[in-house]
Amino acid sequence: MHVLLEFYISRYLLYDVNPPEGFNLRLDVYMRLSILAHKMWRSSNPALNRFKLVLPPWSQLVHWEYTETPEYIPWGYYFDLESLKRFAPVIEMYEFFNEYPNKYSRVTIDEVYTLQHFEDMFETGNFEDRMELKNKCKEDLSFFLYSNITANKYYCLSYHGPATKLSQLFLNTTASSILINHAEVSLHEHFGGKVYWQARRSLRYSKELVDVAAKFRKEHLDSDDENDKTVLPGNWEDEKPGRRAVGGPYLAIHLRRRDFLRFRVKESPSLKSVAEQVSTVLIRLNFDTVYVATDASVKEFENLSSLLKKYKVKTFTPSEAFLSKYKDGGAAIVDQIICSHARYFIGTHQSTFTYRIEERREILGFDERSTFNSFCSNGGQCPETSVWKIVY
Ligand code: GFB
């Protein structure tokens, strides 16, 4: 009886990410973990194929404006959960709370593993995959923002290797809930490979946000999927290779400012230089409209607009009602969707925000030359943009 039950009872894999990491790096960490969950789901081993991946809600990200009281935004606000579930068995945190046994509304997780880098990795140059339990963690343990979650056992795990290697840990324990803390330490198994792209293709944005972006494209940019040749099938598994997308008649830019201006002083172009680069491309394309996605201040945006006053400068300004529901993350996704439908795109070098736009353009089937372009610095130094072509 006991053995039989084991086949049916769910196991839960939770994860958390280093608090300062931003939205789009977190999505990359999700992809690493969802590939792990996908492979365990497909495994014939009953110790592995019962795992559900619990999605950590979006909360207090450093780049986002937030209130003093923590907010827990479910993934369903931003992403199409049904689409994610076709790749990996994911559930929302609130579903975990409903399903998982709890006493007096307190949840006890069986085992927590806090991942940390091997201290000797750079000194010895040993970059082989390995993991080793340590007696002491390099930093204090903390996870999530929940006060009603505690854990039975805590481990520190020095780790180097892909997230998929974590399944080895789960074979040696009967724990029904396991939290991987600092999941960003784990890596991709094959970055840019077929399974990576399946995880990425399944990560579709929520219908509500796609609709908000579609309305903006139609009203302000003369862009719609039929004319732009960017219609995708309802299910990502039915997508076919091909570069047929034309895109809407506008140039889109992603201009990362704020912390980039402080930490990447030499690489960040001045607004004057941005305006010159935009103008050159608009002339070449024979377009008069540029869509600007940016985290720049209102003042900077106004300066840029006045430098580009010969052209139509468009940007998405969320309403109060939109912001109160979707917060900064929703506005970021609408910007990303609009950028991914433009005839031509220029992004910010080494911004994960830009990477997610480039990936979506690959999925939509744009010519790669219209996608992998980054702003050059003031001195005319143009970064080598990595081209990550889609693989089916
Ligand atoms: O997604 P993100 O981490 O990408 O960017 P990077 C940080 C946040 O900035 C996003 C806002 O969550 C958005 O809230 N943001 C940036 C934008 N660009 C835009 C935009 O065009 N439109 C809107 N609406 N919002 C990493 C950081 O940022 O850069 C790391 O996550 C670190 O913490 C590193 O600072 C240097 O990869 O650009």
Side-chain angles (χ1 to χ4, degrees):
M1 177 66 182
H2 177 70
V3 176
L4 201 65
L5 266 180
E6 290 252 300
F7 278 95
Y8 296 105
I9 297 172
S10 296
R11 300 181 83 187
Y12 297 92
L13 175 61
L14 300 94
Y15 74 97
D16 202 6
V17 178
N18 191 23
E21 300 298 351
F23 187 43
N24 288 288
L25 183 96
R26 280 165 190 269
L27 291 181
D28 194 80
V29 176
Y30 162 75
M31 285 193 267
R32 299 173 213 176
L33 272 284
S34 71
I35 291 170
L36 164 66
H38 166 85
K39 294 209 162 166
M40 292 200 293
W41 195 30
R42 294 286 165 95
S43 149
S44 55
N45 188 331
L48 298 181
N49 61 24
R50 291 179 289 130
F51 268 105
K52 293 180 181 174
L53 180 66
V54 183
L55 301 167
W58 299 99
S59 199
Q60 321 297 80
L61 296 200
V62 285
H63 301 91
W64 295 0
E65 305 271 334
Y66 56 83
T67 53
E68 286 301 306
T69 358
E71 277 147 352
Y72 303 107
I73 305 168
W75 280 59
Y77 276 35
Y78 294 158
F79 300 98
D80 176 349
L81 262 280
E82 290 314 307
S83 179
L84 269 67
K85 281 179 196 209
R86 287 198 188 100
F87 180 71
V90 298
I91 57 167
E92 297 268 18
M93 183 66 93
Y94 65 82
E95 293 174 300
F96 168 70
F97 283 135
N98 289 339
E99 285 182 22
Y100 196 71
N102 60 75
K103 238 186 188 169
Y104 314 115
S105 302
R106 288 187 74 80
V107 162
T108 305
I109 293 169
D110 293 329
E111 294 178 3
V112 176
Y113 293 87
T114 292
L115 305 192
Q116 55 191 21
H117 293 288
F118 277 96
E119 273 175 24
D120 64 358
M121 204 162 67
F122 291 98
E123 289 150 31
T124 59
N126 179 359
F127 292 104
E128 276 171 22
D129 290 354
R130 52 187 170 141
M131 58 171 122
E132 198 178 306
L133 286 174
K134 298 276 178 190
N135 294 331
K136 225 174 148 344
C137 285
K138 278 193 240 160
E139 55 181 82
D140 286 344
L141 272 179
S142 65
F143 51 87
F144 300 136
L145 292 164
Y146 290 97
S147 53
N148 64 338
I149 296 190
T150 175
N152 265 334
K153 292 185 186 153
Y154 294 92
Y155 300 102
C156 302
L157 187 70
S158 290
Y159 195 84
H160 184 72
T164 43
K165 190 179 156 72
L166 287 165
S167 63
Q168 290 173 12
L169 278 180
F170 313 151
L171 289 170
N172 299 324
T173 169
T174 54
S176 62
S177 57
I178 296 175
L179 165 67
I180 301 296
N181 198 18
H182 279 280
E184 75 284 354
V185 170
S186 68
L187 305 170
H188 275 292
E189 198 172 39
H190 299 293
F191 183 79
K194 184 176 163 183
V195 181
Y196 173 90
W197 278 102
Q198 285 174 338
R200 179 62 184 89
R201 281 160 55 208
S202 71
L203 191 60
R204 286 188 170 184
Y205 299 121
S206 72
K207 184 167 181 326
E208 291 79 9
L209 294 180
V210 173
D211 286 349
V212 171
K215 188 164 178 280
F216 187 95
R217 286 166 53 209
K218 185 94 203 140
E219 286 174 5
H220 301 276
L221 298 163
D222 193 20
S223 162
D224 66 66
D225 287 339
E226 288 292 335
N227 287 321
D228 299 357
K229 299 198 175 8
T230 49
V231 178
L232 288 179
N235 176 353
W236 62 268
E237 291 163 302
D238 300 330
E239 289 166 4
K240 299 268 179 315
R243 296 191 178 271
R244 287 175 284 274
V246 175
Y250 58 99
L251 159 69
I253 65 169
H254 171 233
L255 184 63
R256 186 74 162 80
R257 301 309 262 181
R258 298 203 188 235
D259 43 343
F260 268 46
L261 286 182
R262 284 199 304 281
F263 300 122
R264 294 171 193 217
V265 182
K266 272 215 272 179
E267 296 87 348
S268 299
S270 65
L271 293 179
K272 186 166 166 280
S273 169
V274 170
E276 282 164 7
Q277 294 177 55
V278 165
S279 175
T280 305
V281 176
L282 283 174
I283 292 167
R284 200 177 73 222
L285 296 172
N286 199 16
F287 281 169
D288 64 357
T289 308
V290 55
Y291 180 82
V292 180
T294 186
D295 59 341
S297 63
V298 175
K299 193 159 181 287
E300 267 188 307
F301 178 75
E302 281 169 3
N303 286 346
L304 179 64
S305 301
S306 70
L307 289 164
L308 287 167
K309 59 176 179 294
K310 277 204 283 187
Y311 305 105
K312 293 181 196 153
V313 180
K314 304 282 180 181
T315 196
F316 171 70
T317 310
S319 67
E320 271 188 31
F322 178 97
L323 276 181
S324 99
K325 176 164 182 191
Y326 297 106
K327 314 277 185 282
D328 291 352
I333 288 175
V334 171
D335 264 345
Q336 288 179 308
I337 297 173
I338 298 172
C339 286
S340 63
H341 284 272
R343 184 96 30 105
Y344 197 90
F345 172 69
I346 310 175
T348 298
H349 186 52
Q350 290 181 341
S351 162
T352 54
F353 192 107
T354 282
Y355 295 161
R356 301 286 92 83
I357 296 170
E358 291 171 344
E359 286 167 350
R360 194 163 187 273
R361 292 177 63 85
E362 280 292 284
I363 294 166
L364 287 170
F366 279 93
D367 183 314
E368 76 216 37
R369 285 166 299 185
S370 73
T371 293
F372 296 98
N373 311 293
S374 308
F375 281 110
C376 307
S377 66
N378 295 328
Q381 301 282 78
C382 301
E384 186 94 22
T385 309
S386 317
V387 177
W388 293 105
K389 284 197 223 172
I390 193 162
V391 177
Y392 287 88

